[in-house]
Amino acid sequence: MHPSWFNLRLLLPCFTALALALVSVTVDASGDIVCTPSCPVKHPQQHFCDTDTAFKLVVTEMSFVDDDFQKVTHYESTSIRFHAKVIRPLKGASWAEKGTEIQFYTPRWTCAIATPQEDTEYLIAGKVRDGMLTVTQCDGLAIKWSDLTSEQKAGVKGGYSRQCESCRISSAGTTKHIWSPEAEAGLESGYWSPEGCFFNPIPSAKYGGEDCETNYSVCTAGLAEDGVGCEWDQNESYQECFTRREDAWFFTERVEPAFTCQSDCKAQPTKKLRWLCAKTVKKLKKQGMC
């Protein structure tokens, strides 16, 4: 077999978790890949840094395969195999130059990525296990190249990799307020902050704003005032997005503040926000939600 063609060891289907939209992938002592029902929220930069290899490529063919990697019908399959041609190696890919034909796999069930379209350019990043390339929902990237912003393209072309050793992006995975200096005036939400590369994409969707950190920024070392630690790169696109998102939050928050039943209203940093919190929690209690 040509050394540049990668195959995937059988991914164990997690039949007990088929109904779950969010899953994660782990490797057990035997080296098999196992799905588990808890998928962490990750910034694309952290996804990219955590993967073994990445490419810009064009998918040329797909097929359903069984445990022995033989083509089977859709219903008999355990994995999906993709044939692709490399347009540009992006990370850890000295074995596959431009024009090289490769294969990658995704599990057929729980952990599967959205099926890439044939003859379309994609960013594909994943893990290599036993010399075999795997791409999953929670352990890789599969994004149509045309859907990437210019900042994301710059990131995968080198901006992300340069920060992998210096910065790790933490994710909230919650809509709880994380108070920052920007929130002290009571005009900004505290859900987002350029400080410390804090990543909390959930409220962006909740309030109708863009996920500015994902779309327009790179977590970069040495941007803090003291030159220590990592901060979001506050380029023009990021700053404009941040302002638009805060505007969306401002009007939504004033109508229906986003405090949960567990909020400690006394801990809010301004008198106005403490009042809003208490008012909202009281309303939720009347509705039997607390």
Side-chain angles (χ1 to χ4, degrees), residues 135-262:
V135 184
T136 70
Q137 288 182 35
C138 302
D139 209 9
L141 291 167
I143 307 172
K144 189 181 295 186
W145 191 262
S146 60
D147 288 342
L148 296 172
T149 64
S150 58
E151 288 80 9
Q152 289 173 325
K153 289 176 182 177
V156 299
K157 289 177 181 178
Y160 292 162
S161 292
R162 286 192 290 272
Q163 306 302 325
C164 288
E165 295 298 321
S166 304
C167 301
R168 183 166 187 87
I169 302 169
S170 59
S171 301
T174 176
T175 54
K176 181 179 179 181
H177 279 75
I178 305 297
W179 296 109
S180 63
E182 290 84 358
E184 290 295 330
L187 298 177
E188 297 181 349
S189 68
Y191 279 123
W192 313 280
S193 173
E195 297 183 359
C197 291
F198 178 74
F199 181 54
N200 189 4
I202 298 174
S204 299
K206 179 174 182 177
Y207 293 112
E210 283 188 90
D211 179 355
C212 306
E213 291 73 29
T214 287
N215 293 337
Y216 302 113
S217 196
V218 174
C219 179
T220 305
L223 293 184
E225 291 183 6
D226 58 5
V228 178
C230 300
E231 306 283 313
W232 292 116
D233 176 20
Q234 298 186 57
N235 56 67
E236 184 176 352
S237 296
Y238 177 69
Q239 291 184 26
E240 290 176 354
C241 179
F242 199 101
T243 299
R244 291 193 302 269
R245 182 173 59 184
E246 284 295 320
D247 289 342
W249 168 84
F250 181 87
F251 291 108
T252 305
E253 180 86 349
R254 294 309 182 264
V255 175
E256 188 66 40
F259 298 104
T260 67
C261 298
Q262 290 76 34

Side-chain angles (χ1 to χ4, degrees), residues 7-14 24-36 52 79 105-107 111 126-130 132-137 139:
N7 290 300
L8 174 69
R9 191 176 182 179
L10 173 63
L11 287 170
L12 298 180
C14 304
S24 66
V25 180
T26 58
V27 180
D28 65 16
S30 68
D32 290 325
I33 296 174
V34 182
C35 310
T36 56
D52 296 327
S79 301
Y105 289 72
T106 192
C111 312
K127 295 280 191 178
V128 176
R129 292 287 180 263
D130 296 331
M132 302 167 186
L133 177 57
T134 312
V135 184
T136 70
Q137 288 182 35
D139 209 9

Side-chain angles (χ1 to χ4, degrees), residues 17 26 51 57 83 90 95 102 157 199 218 234 244 253 263 273:
T26 58
T51 57
L57 51 72
H83 294 256
L90 298 170
W95 49 272
I102 66 170
K157 289 177 181 178
F199 181 54
V218 174
Q234 298 186 57
R244 291 193 302 269
E253 180 86 349
S263 295
L273 287 172

